Amino acid sequence: MTETERIVAVRGSGQARKAGWFRRLSGSARVSVIAIVVIAVAAATAKLWWPESSDQTNAAAALMTPSLSHPMGTDGLGRDVFARVLEGAGISLAAGLIIAVAAVAVGGALAIIAGLRPGAIDLVIMRITDSLLAFPALILAIAVAAGLGSGFFSACVAIVVSTFPLVTRVVRSDVLRIRGGGHIQAARALGVTPSRIVWRHVLPHVSSALLVQFALVVAFGIIALAGLGFIGLGIQLPTPELGAMILDGAAPLIGGAWWISIFPGLMLLAIVASVNVIADSLRVILDQPDELTGAEL
Amino acid sequence: MISYISRRFGLALLSILGASIVAFIVFRVAPGDPARQALGPFASDEQLAQFRADNLLDQSLPAQYWAFIRNFFTGDWGYSYGSGAKVTTLFGDTLAPTIELAVVTFIVTVALATWLALVSTYRPRRWLDRLINALAYVGLGAPAFWVGLVLVLVFSQWLPVLPGAEGQLDFTYSVPTVTGFMLVDTLLAGDLPAFGNAITHLILPVATLGLAVFAYLVRILRASLLAVGDQQFVLAAEAKGVSRWTAFRRHALHNALLPMLTASGIVLGQLLAGTVLVETVFNWPGVGNLLTRSIGLKDYSVVDVFVMLSATAYVLVNFIVDVVQLRVDPRILQEEQK
Amino acid sequence: MKQQYRFRRVAGAFLGVAMVVSALVACSGTSNTTTQDKALRVVMATAPTSLDPIDQFGGTDTLSGNMYVTLLRTGTKDLGNGLSTENGADVEGYLAKDWKVSDDGLTYTFHLKPGLTFASGTPVDSAAVKYSFERALDSTAEAFITTLTPGLIKSIDTPDADTVVFTLSEPRPSVLQAWASYSSAIVDPSVVKAKGAKWLDTNEAGSGPYELVSYTPNRELVMKERPGFAKWAGWAPKRQNVTVQFAADDSALLLAVKQGADVVIGLTSQSVASLKNDSAVRVETFESVRTRFLNLAWSKAPFSNAKVREALTYAVDLKAILDGPANGDGQLYYGPSNPNLPFFNKELATPITRDVAKAEQLLKDSGETLPIRFTLSIDQGAPVDKQIAQVLQSTLKPAGFDIQIEVLPTAEFSEATYADGFQAQIREDAPGYADTGFYLGYAMACVLKPVGTNASHMCMPEADKLLAAARATTDPEKAQAKYDEITRIWRENYPQIPLFAMSPAIVLSKSVTSFEYSYDFSNRVTDWG
C-alpha cells in the first residue's frame, strides 16, 4: 500500500483498536516510538552501562571539550554532560507522562461532568475553563509556578493547571455530541447507573480525543518544564533538568564552551519532536482535527 | 449578528474577570512577603509594618482583590520595589521593544509560512514537503531559548556575521528615544547606519521567536490548503475551464483563510509567551526580561500587571478574530444557532 | 505555467530582501565615531533598587556616591599600574575641610568648605547637613549613621552656615567611617521637601562630582560632570561622561567585555576564567571586605549542637571551593571578620586545615544520628552559590553529611534569612563601610538592637561584652587586644564557616589607565578613566 492509501484506509475508522496500533502508525511515528523507548531505557539503565556519574564534581576536569571518555564534554563543575543529559531525559519523559496523566484525568473528568450535567455545574466549569484559557498557556504555567515557589511539585501543578482547560474544552464538545445522539437518555431511562453510563457510553467515544490530547500535553509539558527550568523555577539541584542545564550553559557558551547548553537542547528536541510525530499520526488515525483552528493536520 | 457579537464580548469580559481572580490568587496565596526583600536588613519592625500597610498586604484577601482590580483598570499600577520606579514607567520603557519584536516576527512568519504553504501545496514536491515538515518539527520540538543560543553560537561566534545577545543596537550608536520602536526612532533621527544596525540586531531574535510560530502556522495552512484542494469543486472549477490557479485562489485560499485567521489569535499568545524566554537570551530590553527579573524578587506589582495585560490582550485579540471571522464566513452564525 | 513564475517572483523578492540585509550587516559592522566614544562605558551586574542614598543597604551597586557629597571621604591606597583601592582606615575631609574631636570623644565639630551649591541654587551648608542627617535618622539608614547604636547622635547643632556640631551619647571613633559612607549623603532640602521622597528613587538632588543625565531603571544610568564642582573641590573626575548599563546575567556581562566596554563589574569567577587568555582585556582582582559564608542556624537541629558545627568546619573542602567555583579569586581565613577590615589579626585567624577523620570522630561524639541530614538554602540570584552548593554536597558526603539543596527566589531567600527559616545557607555579607565594630555589632549580636542580620542567630555573650568595650575605646592598641580576645572566643564556638574572603575580578579594557576599587559596591567612578 502506498502511504496515501494507507492513510485513507485508516482515516475515518474513528477509534484505535488495541491490536495492531503500532502498525497503524505512520512510518515516522513508528521510528519515533522506538526512539523514545530507546531513550527511556538508556536513561533508566544508565548507571549500569555508563561509568561516569552525573553529580560527582571534579574541579580539575571542568569545561572539557567533547572526547571519547566524555562524549558530550564536561560542565563548569567537571561533571560528565552525557550522564546528566541521559538522566535529564529520563526525568523529562517521566515528568511529561505524569503531567499528561494528571491533566487528562482532571480535564477529562471535568468535561464529562460538565457535558452530562448541564445547567449550573456546566456553567461554572466552563467559566473556570474560559478564565484559565484567557492566558497563553506558558504564561499561566510561569505565573502559577512562580506563585507556588520553586520545586518539581509546583512546576508539575503549574503545567497541569495550564493544560487541563484545553482538554476540558475539547472533550466536552465530544460529550455534548454524544448526548445529542440519544444513547445516554435511553440508558438512563433503562435505569443504568451513572458510572456505568460514563464507562460504557461516554468514555469509548471520547477516548480518541483524550489520547491525542495526552500526547500533546506530554510534548507541551516537557517543553514547559524546560522553560521553567530555564527561568529558574522548577526542579531542584543537583537533579539534572534539561532546561536548567541549558541555563547553566549560557554564560560558558559565550565564553566558548558550547557543549553544556547545546546537547541538552538536542535531547529535548529529539524527545519532543518524536512525541509530536506520534501525536500527528494519532490525529490522522483517530480523526481528530486541530482543536483550535479546525484544520485537519 | 449583533447579539452574537455582544454575547462574545460579554464572554470575553467574563474571561478577563476570571483571569484576574486567577492571577490574584496565584500570587497572594503563596507564603512569604516582599517587605523584607524591599526594605533590607536594617528595617525595623515598624518600618516593615508600614510597608505592608502601604501596599495593603495586611488587609483581607477580598479587600486586596478589589484594590487590585480597581487599580489595574484605572492605570494606577503602583511602584516596583525592585527598582523604585513607577510600574507604568517600567512598562512604558519596555513595551515598545517587545511589541516591535513581536510585530516584526509576526509579519515575517506569516509571510514566510503563507508563501511556503502555497508553494508546497499548489504543485506538490516531495523534497519540499519533507523539508517543511522537518523544519516544522524542529520548530515545535526545540525550546525557543535553546534555538536562540544555537543561532547566537553559529551566526555570532563561529561565523561572526550577526550581532549576538546584544539588545537592540550596538552600544556605539546613540539614538534619541521618541517612540520606543528602534526601527522608527533611527529613521526619525535620520541615522541610516543605525537603522541598518537595528535591523541586523532584529534578525536572530526574530528567527528564534518566529521558529515555533512558523512551525505552527505552516502546518495549519498546509493542512487547510490540502484539505480544500482534495475537494470536488476544485476539479469542477477546472472542468469549467477556469485555470488551476484561479480555481485554487478562489476556493482553496478563501476557505483556508478562516483557519489562518483563528491561528493568528493563537499566535499572539505564543509570541507573548515566547518573548519571556527569548528576551533573556538576547538581552532584549523588553517586557519579558522585566518579568523574569520581577519573578525572583516577588515584585507583585510588576508580575500582576504583566499577567493581566497578557490575558486582556489575548482575550481581546481573539475576540476581534472571532468578529472578523464572521465577516469572512457567515456560516459560523448558522452553526451557532444550531 | 504562469503561477510558477509568480512563485519565483516571490522567491526573488525574498532573495532581494536577504541581499539588502546582508549589505546592511556589512556596512553597520564598523563602529561609528560618535560622542559615545568619549564616554566611559561601565557595565554592572546588579542594578540599584533606588537612587535615594538612604534607601541603599548594600548588595547592589550604588552610584549615588558620585552624585552626592558627604562630610568625609575614605582615602585611597595606590596599588601601582594605575590601580588603587579604597583605604577604609584613612578618612579625609570632603564637604568638611577640617574637624575637631573633643577630648572626651563626645563632640565632633566640622568646618565646611563654603562655595558649593546644589543645582537648585540652595547652598550646601550646615542646614543642608542637618536636614540630610535627620532624614537619614528617620529611615532604614539610621543603622549606618549611628553605627548601629540607637540614640548615638544626641544632637546636631548649626552655630553658623559653615559649622556643624554633633554631640554623641558615647565615644565612637568609627563615626568618621560611617559619615564617609554613601548613606550620609547631603541632599538638597528644598528639592526633597518639594518633590517628596519617592522622587529621589529615580532622580538626583545632590551636589557631587557628577550629575544625573538620565536613568532607566534596570537598564541604564548616564552621568556627566557637574558644572561648578571642579572649581569648588580643586579636582575634577577623570572622565566627563559616564554611561552605566546594568546587565541581567553573566552572558550579558561577557558580551559587554567582548564589545569593548571599559569597565565590567560583577562577572562570576568562572566566566572571568574564560577571559584569562584574552589579550584584548585586562582582568584585575581586588581584595575586598566581602566574604562568602556558610551560615549555620544555631536555633535548630542539627547545628544547635556545637560538635556538629565543629565537625562540619573540619569536613568542608575549602580548597575545592576556592579553586573551583571561585576560580582562586579569594583567600581563606577563620575568624569573625574579613581580613581587610580593621583589627584583623592574621596570626590568630588562620584557616582551618581539613581533617575528615577528625570530623567523623566529632560526629560520633556528638550523639546525633548519622548521616547528618540538612537542607542548604541558596539564593537563586547568585549563580556561583549553585556551584558551591554542589561541591559541598559531593565533598561532604564521605564525612557523613547528607545535603539537600534548596534554591529559593531572592525574595523568599531574604525572608528565610531574616526569619531564621533555614538550617544552613550560603550568603555573601559585608559591612556597608569598613568598620569591624559596626559589622560585628549586628553579625554576632545575641540581641539585635535595633535591627540587622545575625542570620545564624549565633550568641556568645562574652564576645558581645568585649565588643561594646572595644568600640568605645579610643586607644587603638587597647582595642586591638579586645578584638583579639573576641577572635579567640569566636573560634572556640565554631559559629559559622567563612568559605572565602572574596577578591572580585573587574575586567578593564586596554584604554582604561586608572581604576579605583571601592568596597561593598560603592563604586567611586571619579577616579576611573
Side-chain angles (χ1 to χ4, degrees):
Chain A
M1 275 189 178
T2 64
E3 190 79 358
T4 333
E5 287 168 278
R6 199 181 55 74
I7 292 179
V8 167
V10 160
R11 227 190 222 287
S13 66
Q15 276 175 273
R17 285 202 306 255
K18 294 224 169 92
W21 61 269
F22 190 70
R23 267 180 288 124
R24 283 173 180 276
L25 291 172
S26 68
S28 36
R30 276 181 259 175
V31 169
S32 301
V33 172
I34 295 174
I36 292 185
V37 169
V38 166
I39 293 177
V41 169
T45 59
K47 297 256 187 302
L48 297 175
W49 55 272
W50 183 248
E52 303 289 340
S53 118
S54 64
D55 61 2
Q56 184 59 41
T57 63
N58 178 3
L63 298 177
M64 288 171 39
T65 58
S67 61
L68 277 177
S69 58
H70 294 290
M72 292 185 182
T74 60
D75 67 6
L77 289 177
R79 296 176 295 199
D80 179 43
V81 175
F82 180 67
R84 291 176 66 77
V85 165
L86 264 188
E87 195 174 326
I91 293 172
S92 292
L93 276 172
L97 285 172
I98 295 174
I99 291 170
V101 165
V104 163
V106 171
L110 284 177
I112 292 176
I113 296 172
L116 291 184
R117 292 219 178 288
I121 299 183
D122 183 19
L123 211 62
V124 166
I125 292 183
M126 282 325 285
R127 289 293 74 78
I128 294 179
T129 333
D130 281 347
S131 304
L132 291 171
L133 284 171
F135 301 93
L138 190 60
I139 292 192
L140 182 58
I142 292 175
V144 175
L148 290 176
S150 53
F152 182 58
F153 181 68
S154 342
C156 286
V157 169
I159 301 175
V160 169
V161 166
S162 61
T163 47
F164 85 77
L166 190 56
V167 175
T168 307
R169 188 181 269 188
V170 169
V171 173
R172 178 177 165 272
S173 55
D174 267 3
V175 172
L176 287 178
R177 213 170 351 109
I178 299 168
R179 255 190 53 206
H183 304 276
I184 306 211
Q185 273 82 318
R188 243 191 236 146
L190 287 173
V192 183
T193 61
S195 56
R196 201 116 196 230
I197 292 181
V198 169
W199 197 250
R200 286 205 95 214
H201 295 277
V202 177
L203 269 184
H205 291 276
V206 301
S207 58
S208 314
L210 284 177
L211 202 58
V212 171
Q213 286 303 308
F214 181 83
L216 292 173
V217 173
V218 171
F220 177 81
I222 294 179
I223 292 231
L225 199 62
L228 289 175
F230 187 71
I231 299 186
L233 299 164
I235 298 193
Q236 287 312 288
L237 290 182
T239 319
E241 195 270 316
L242 296 172
M245 279 193 260
I246 298 178
L247 171 68
D248 284 342
L253 186 139
I254 310 284
W258 53 270
W259 50 92
I260 308 176
S261 283
I262 300 300
F263 288 115
L266 278 174
M267 177 58 83
L268 272 171
L269 174 56
I271 297 177
V272 179
S274 305
V275 175
N276 273 315
V277 168
I278 297 173
D280 281 348
S281 187
L282 283 176
R283 269 200 211 277
V284 167
I285 302 174
L286 301 175
D287 215 357
Q288 297 286 321
D290 178 71
E291 50 281 329
L292 296 167
T293 59
E296 298 202 5
L297 291 169
Chain B
M1 174 102 144
I2 302 282
S3 69
Y4 173 76
I5 294 182
S6 45
R7 203 156 32 90
R8 290 305 258 207
F9 189 68
L11 281 178
L13 285 184
L14 268 181
S15 297
I16 294 179
L17 197 65
S20 71
I21 297 179
V22 171
F24 178 76
I25 291 177
V26 161
F27 285 106
R28 295 300 183 276
V29 161
D33 84 84
R36 252 316 169 183
Q37 170 64 18
L39 296 180
F42 296 106
S44 66
D45 284 334
E46 302 97 56
Q47 283 156 343
L48 288 173
Q50 183 64 43
F51 180 88
R52 289 197 189 100
D54 287 342
N55 286 280
L56 301 177
L57 293 172
D58 53 353
Q59 306 228 346
S60 69
L61 280 182
Q64 287 190 46
Y65 174 69
W66 172 238
F68 165 65
I69 281 282
R70 196 188 49 214
N71 290 338
F72 177 74
F73 285 107
T74 56
D76 178 9
W77 293 346
Y79 290 87
S80 145
Y81 48 76
S83 64
K86 290 186 75 151
V87 176
T88 35
T89 319
L90 286 177
F91 274 90
D93 288 337
T94 50
L95 264 176
T98 301
I99 292 179
E100 186 177 25
L101 179 61
V103 166
V104 173
T105 307
F106 182 75
I107 294 174
V108 168
T109 46
V110 167
L112 204 59
T114 313
W115 180 64
L116 274 180
L118 285 174
V119 166
S120 61
T121 52
Y122 181 68
R123 212 170 276 284
R125 271 162 281 223
R126 208 99 200 264
W127 65 268
L128 191 59
D129 282 356
R130 284 240 164 98
L131 183 66
I132 295 179
N133 273 327
L135 202 59
Y137 281 122
V138 169
L140 290 179
F145 49 92
W146 179 77
V147 171
L149 287 174
V150 171
L151 289 178
V152 164
L153 185 67
V154 172
F155 292 103
S156 178
Q157 291 202 341
W158 288 347
L159 309 167
V161 286
L162 286 173
E166 298 166 20
Q168 290 180 293
L169 209 61
D170 274 0
F171 74 94
T172 48
Y173 292 98
S174 156
V175 168
T177 311
V178 177
T179 59
F181 299 107
M182 192 56 74
L183 292 177
V184 174
D185 286 345
T186 45
L187 283 178
L188 285 179
D191 193 345
L192 279 183
F195 178 75
N197 190 254
I199 291 195
T200 61
H201 275 257
L202 267 173
I203 297 176
L204 289 184
V206 165
T208 307
L209 189 57
L211 185 60
V213 173
F214 167 82
Y216 178 74
L217 279 177
V218 84
R219 279 156 51 95
I220 301 269
L221 288 177
R222 271 172 49 87
S224 314
L225 288 169
L226 281 171
V228 173
D230 277 354
Q231 293 182 27
Q232 296 292 343
F233 58 75
V234 175
L235 296 169
E238 276 190 346
K240 280 191 223 155
V242 183
S243 78
R244 186 187 166 100
W245 169 243
T246 318
F248 186 74
R249 185 167 40 98
R250 251 187 233 152
H251 302 285
L253 210 51
H254 182 80
N255 285 348
L257 211 57
L258 208 60
M260 177 155 152
L261 210 53
T262 324
S264 343
I266 315 295
V267 159
L268 172 74
Q270 292 176 333
L271 286 174
L272 276 173
T275 56
V276 178
L277 300 169
V278 168
E279 282 184 9
T280 322
V281 174
F282 288 98
N283 288 306
W284 198 258
V287 178
N289 233 333
L290 178 66
L291 178 76
T292 327
R293 211 178 314 114
S294 307
I295 286 179
L297 296 175
K298 274 213 158 100
D299 203 341
Y300 289 158
S301 19
V302 173
V303 186
D304 274 343
V305 169
F306 176 86
V307 164
M308 281 305 299
L309 279 178
S310 313
T312 310
Y314 194 48
V315 167
L316 286 179
V317 165
N318 279 299
F319 168 70
I320 294 174
V321 163
D322 274 350
V323 172
V324 172
Q325 274 182 340
L326 211 54
R327 281 283 275 140
V328 169
D329 188 357
R331 285 181 298 176
I332 296 179
L333 265 181
Q334 299 166 328
E335 281 278 322
E336 276 289 310
Q337 276 151 10
K338 263 199 260 162
Chain C
M1 295 160 299
K2 251 195 279 182
Q3 275 349 99
Q4 281 158 308
Y5 295 135
R6 197 198 194 105
F7 288 136
R8 287 214 193 119
R9 266 189 284 150
V10 179
F14 272 124
L15 212 59
V17 170
M19 286 202 306
V20 169
V21 168
S22 338
L24 286 170
V25 172
C27 289
S28 73
T30 51
S31 57
N32 261 17
T33 42
T34 65
T35 47
Q36 281 287 43
D37 274 351
K38 305 236 181 64
L40 185 74
R41 183 170 172 237
V42 179
V43 184
M44 293 182 178
T46 55
T49 49
S50 163
L51 294 184
D52 188 343
I54 62 175
D55 271 343
Q56 303 187 9
F57 43 81
T60 58
D61 283 281
T62 74
L63 292 155
S64 45
N66 300 290
M67 299 184 280
Y68 293 87
V69 297
T70 42
L71 281 176
L72 304 161
R73 266 183 122 193
T74 46
T76 52
K77 191 164 70 175
D78 188 26
L79 299 171
N81 262 329
L83 303 174
S84 56
T85 175
E86 177 184 342
N87 183 359
D90 176 29
V91 169
E92 49 191 47
Y94 195 7
L95 178 62
K97 62 174 191 254
D98 55 59
W99 66 96
K100 257 195 343 245
V101 186
S102 64
D103 289 331
D104 56 9
L106 295 176
T107 312
Y108 285 74
T109 309
F110 292 92
H111 296 115
L112 309 182
K113 185 168 169 188
L116 186 62
T117 54
F118 294 104
S120 65
T122 317
V124 186
D125 59 10
S126 57
V129 172
K130 183 171 158 103
Y131 176 82
S132 306
F133 268 78
E134 283 176 344
R135 182 172 177 259
L137 284 171
D138 200 22
S139 73
T140 53
E142 181 195 4
F144 288 92
I145 308 272
T146 60
T147 71
L148 212 63
T149 315
L152 179 73
I153 302 180
K154 277 193 6 211
S155 69
I156 308 175
D157 299 301
T158 54
D160 62 59
D162 295 326
T163 315
V164 189
V165 181
F166 291 85
T167 314
L168 305 182
S169 61
E170 59 184 275
R172 180 67 86 240
S174 59
V175 285
L176 293 178
Q177 270 83 12
W179 298 344
S181 79
Y182 46 74
S183 324
S184 316
I186 312 301
V187 303
D188 185 341
S190 62
V191 170
V192 179
K193 284 186 196 145
K195 300 251 175 86
K198 274 247 171 280
W199 185 84
L200 272 189
D201 281 340
T202 50
N203 293 282
E204 168 258 300
S207 56
Y210 285 105
E211 61 181 9
L212 185 69
V213 170
S214 74
Y215 176 55
T216 315
N218 294 319
R219 222 194 300 170
E220 188 181 72
L221 185 149
V222 181
M223 306 190 287
K224 78 175 211 287
E225 184 181 341
R226 190 187 298 272
F229 179 84
K231 195 149 148 257
W232 171 84
W235 56 268
K238 281 219 159 56
R239 290 283 190 106
Q240 285 178 319
N241 295 295
V242 178
T243 307
V244 183
Q245 290 166 328
F246 308 108
D249 55 33
D250 242 24
S251 42
L253 289 168
L254 269 175
L255 261 161
V257 172
K258 292 204 191 296
Q259 287 174 319
D262 292 310
V263 179
V264 179
I265 300 177
L267 268 172
T268 61
S269 312
Q270 293 229 315
S271 300
V272 167
S274 71
L275 293 171
K276 284 275 148 82
N277 296 319
D278 192 340
S279 53
V281 294
R282 201 176 147 188
V283 177
E284 302 287 352
T285 48
F286 296 87
E287 289 188 17
S288 74
V289 299
R290 290 151 61 184
T291 300
R292 218 153 196 97
F293 289 102
L294 175 56
N295 287 325
L296 311 171
W298 280 36
S299 56
K300 49 178 92 79
F303 297 114
S304 43
N305 185 330
K307 280 223 156 31
V308 177
R309 296 199 304 267
E310 190 180 348
L312 190 69
T313 311
Y314 279 100
V316 169
D317 190 351
L318 293 174
K319 271 213 107 258
I321 294 175
L322 185 60
D323 291 339
N327 195 39
D329 292 335
Q331 53 178 147
L332 301 177
Y333 73 99
Y334 192 66
S337 58
N338 183 287
N340 291 301
L341 284 173
F343 302 114
F344 177 77
N345 189 330
K346 209 161 66 150
E347 269 88 57
L348 286 181
T350 50
I352 302 272
T353 321
R354 187 176 191 222
D355 189 344
V356 180
K358 179 165 179 175
E360 283 172 338
Q361 185 59 45
L362 282 162
L363 281 182
K364 284 207 198 78
D365 295 340
S366 71
E368 304 278 343
T369 37
L370 303 177
I372 307 275
R373 284 206 167 80
F374 66 92
T375 305
L376 177 62
S377 310
I378 61 179
D379 183 353
Q380 183 190 317
V384 70
D385 288 344
K386 263 206 277 190
Q387 300 178 322
I388 297 178
Q390 291 175 85
V391 173
L392 281 171
Q393 198 179 39
S394 53
T395 54
L396 285 171
K397 223 194 275 195
F401 290 97
D402 183 6
I403 302 180
Q404 177 96 297
I405 301 178
E406 180 185 41
V407 180
L408 296 173
T410 310
E412 273 181 61
F413 183 80
S414 291
E415 192 58 32
T417 305
Y418 305 124
D420 195 15
F422 64 89
Q423 287 177 297
Q425 63 164 200
I426 299 179
R427 185 164 174 265
E428 178 184 320
D429 200 9
Y433 58 97
D435 175 5
T436 313
F438 168 74
Y439 174 65
L440 292 177
Y442 67 80
M444 201 176 71
C446 281
V447 179
L448 287 171
K449 37 175 234 272
V451 288
T453 342
N454 176 352
S456 325
H457 286 245
M458 64 174 82
C459 185
M460 296 163 283
E462 276 297 305
D464 281 351
K465 268 204 294 232
L466 276 165
L467 182 67
R471 296 187 73 191
T473 313
T474 38
D475 178 352
E477 270 185 36
K478 291 214 183 81
Q480 179 69 55
K482 294 201 164 58
Y483 280 112
D484 286 346
E485 190 54 33
I486 292 174
T487 305
R488 280 189 209 102
I489 297 175
W490 192 95
R491 284 173 63 105
E492 277 162 23
N493 281 275
Y494 299 96
Q496 66 183 164
I497 301 178
L499 293 170
F500 55 94
M502 297 169 59
S503 297
I506 313 278
V507 182
L508 303 168
S509 76
K510 283 282 154 77
S511 61
V512 170
T513 50
S514 94
F515 179 80
E516 180 193 331
Y517 178 75
S518 28
Y519 294 150
D520 198 31
F521 300 92
S522 54
N523 296 306
R524 273 216 292 245
V525 179
T526 49
D527 282 338
W528 301 0

